[in-house]
């Protein structure tokens, strides 16, 4: 019997196995350093700095930096209604160090309207939902209409005087306005912009008269009096604007558009990395300060599993393809 203090000499098989593991670690360093994250994470935002999406992304990034032990850096890649940022992340190394702050435009509406250089399903791994916000119908304060019905009547009487601004073709403000026109008979010409911020600026300046931004983006301007809210394109009123009716209450049915925001990683990112990111994200979204900073702007924090977000994307794509056909929308 071998004394407990005397260790047996390693066998030839043991030595060969150890040598094989050492060689594998040299050839495949990722096997030897499986810890994630190994370096700062880039969170790509498909809108310009200073906008609603950017502000929300920075709140989330700050908390994720603490939870993941690595800095999460926000990088803005605006343009082409979010497709520049989405395409960039779709082609990034699938190791979890480059992720996307996606939204209804990048993964729902724009792909339903036109063929893009990325596939919102096959080229991304869903991480988790961040929040959602109802769509708000706003007008320049100088527009004489005090209600939706008055606005519709004015646009029919003087169609040459009324334009609506959008963040670009295939965005939520574009789809919302077109569905509204379809359901109400309003006469509004489309003026597309390169993003929601310049579209709202021109609506506030009176260059355009109507817009359908998210409540999250528009609320500060409504609060300051630079925009006037006529209705919510959602299922119920908002506690932030309790006196503003829903479009259905205002007599226009069929216009319910909830804008949502979520995190995505490049396709083929390892499941263990996705799970770690999802856990960190969902932990961040129960932090009282994070919730307060997001919800005081008009968004509602929402969490999900990767599978639930993936299902949402598939359902949204099918829904908006149907809208494109019904409203006969085109990319131009």
């Amino acid at each position: 019997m071998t004394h407990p203090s005397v260790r047996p000499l390693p066998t030839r098989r043991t030595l060969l196995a150890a040598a094989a593991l050492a060689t594998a670690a040299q050839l495949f360093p990722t096997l030897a350093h499986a810890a994630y994250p190994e370096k700062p994470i880039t969170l790509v935002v498909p809108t310009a700095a200073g906008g609603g999406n950017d502000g929300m992304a920075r709140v989330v990034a700050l908390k994720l930096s603490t939870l993941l032990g690595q800095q999460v850096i926000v990088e803005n890649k605006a343009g082409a209604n979010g497709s520049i940022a989405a395409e960039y992340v779709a082609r990034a190394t699938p190791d979890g160090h480059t992720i996307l702050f996606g939204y209804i435009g990048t993964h729902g509406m724009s792909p339903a309207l036109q063929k893009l250089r990325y596939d919102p399903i096959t080229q991304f791994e869903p991480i988790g939902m961040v929040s959602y916000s109802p769509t708000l119908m706003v007008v320049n304060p100088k527009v004489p209409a005090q209600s939706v019905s008055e606005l519709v009547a004015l646009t029919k009487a003087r169609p040459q005087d009324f334009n609506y601004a959008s963040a670009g073709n295939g965005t939520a403000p574009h789809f919302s306005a077109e569905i509204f026109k379809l359901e109400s008979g309003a006469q509004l010409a489309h003026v597309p912009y390169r993003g929601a911020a310049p579209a709202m600026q021109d609506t506030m300046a009176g260059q355009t008269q109507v817009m359908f931004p998210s409540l999250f983006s528009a609320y500060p301007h409504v609060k300051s009096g630079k925009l006037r809210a006529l209705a919510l394109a959602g299922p119920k009123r908002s506690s932030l604007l309790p006196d503003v009716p829903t479009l259905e209450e205002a007599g226009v049915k069929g216009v319910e558009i909830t804008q949502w925001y979520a995190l995505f990683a490049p396709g083929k990112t390892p499941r263990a990395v996705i799970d770690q990111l999802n856990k960190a994200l969902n932990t961040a979204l129960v932090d009282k300060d994070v919730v307060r900073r997001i919800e005081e702007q008009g968004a509602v924090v929402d969490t999900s599993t990767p599978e639930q977000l993936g299902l949402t994307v598939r359902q949204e794509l099918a829904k908006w393809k149907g809208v494109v056909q019904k409203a006969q929308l085109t990319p131009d």
Side-chain angles (χ1 to χ4, degrees):
M1 179 172 135
T2 305
H3 192 275
S5 63
V6 180
R7 295 181 179 176
L9 292 173
T11 64
R12 188 174 186 283
R13 180 179 294 178
T14 304
L15 291 171
L16 287 173
L21 285 172
T23 302
Q26 290 176 342
L27 293 175
F28 306 103
T30 54
L31 294 177
H33 307 284
Y36 168 83
E38 299 178 281
K39 58 184 179 181
I41 298 165
T42 299
L43 175 58
V44 179
V45 177
T47 55
N53 294 31
D54 175 70
M56 195 190 313
R58 291 179 188 275
V59 170
V60 172
L62 187 63
K63 189 63 180 179
L64 287 179
S65 297
T66 302
L67 294 170
L68 293 169
Q70 284 283 4
Q71 187 178 8
V72 179
I73 303 166
V74 172
E75 182 175 340
N76 299 90
K77 286 188 176 293
N81 306 329
S83 65
I84 290 175
E87 183 183 345
Y88 176 82
V89 174
R91 296 184 178 184
T93 303
D95 60 4
H97 290 97
T98 303
I99 58 178
L100 177 71
F101 190 85
Y103 68 114
I104 191 173
T106 57
H107 282 69
M109 292 176 166
S110 196
L113 179 67
Q114 57 201 321
K115 186 170 179 59
L116 302 171
R117 291 190 291 182
Y118 68 88
D119 187 300
I121 295 176
T122 63
Q123 288 185 272
F124 289 91
E125 298 295 339
I127 295 171
M129 195 70 78
V130 174
S131 66
Y132 64 88
S133 177
T135 297
L136 188 65
M137 182 184 186
V138 298
V139 294
N140 178 278
K142 292 182 180 179
V143 171
Q146 298 299 317
S147 67
V148 173
S149 59
E150 288 179 12
L151 178 70
V152 172
L154 278 174
T155 67
K156 289 178 178 179
R158 294 158 32 201
Q160 71 279 2
D161 294 339
F162 290 91
N163 301 316
Y164 80 84
S166 84
N169 292 314
T171 61
H174 175 213
F175 275 69
S176 302
E178 289 298 326
I179 299 172
F180 173 74
K181 287 168 58 180
L182 199 66
E183 300 295 337
S184 69
Q187 301 295 306
L188 293 165
H190 181 202
V191 181
Y193 288 81
R194 303 179 94 175
M200 274 195 290
Q201 286 295 330
D202 266 14
T203 305
M204 288 186 281
Q207 299 299 316
T208 51
Q209 292 69 46
V210 184
M211 190 179 171
F212 287 80
S214 67
L215 174 61
F216 176 73
S217 299
Y219 180 67
H221 305 301
V222 172
K223 195 175 178 182
S224 69
K226 293 178 181 178
L227 292 170
R228 186 167 73 250
L230 289 188
L232 268 169
K236 62 181 181 179
R237 296 191 184 199
S238 168
S239 59
L240 292 175
L241 300 169
D243 296 330
V244 177
T246 66
L247 275 170
E248 185 167 357
E249 288 175 329
V252 182
K253 296 183 178 181
V255 191
E256 286 190 10
I257 298 176
T258 299
Q259 302 187 39
W260 51 266
Y261 312 86
L263 297 190
F264 297 87
K268 299 183 180 178
T269 298
R271 179 64 199 218
V273 171
I274 295 296
D275 287 343
Q276 189 172 342
L277 283 167
N278 177 264
K279 182 180 179 181
L281 176 63
N282 288 346
T283 301
L285 293 176
V286 296
D287 179 88
K288 290 183 179 179
D289 186 56
V290 171
V291 172
R292 177 186 60 80
R293 293 178 67 187
I294 290 176
E295 295 195 343
E296 70 183 5
Q297 296 298 321
V300 179
V301 167
D302 194 17
T303 59
S304 75
T305 63
E307 289 77 17
Q308 288 167 336
L309 176 54
L311 177 60
T312 295
V313 170
R314 292 192 294 274
Q315 290 174 335
E316 289 283 284
L317 275 171
K319 173 183 176 180
W320 296 117
K321 284 179 180 178
V323 170
V324 166
Q325 292 179 342
K326 182 180 180 182
Q328 297 182 329
L329 301 180
T330 61
D332 301 317

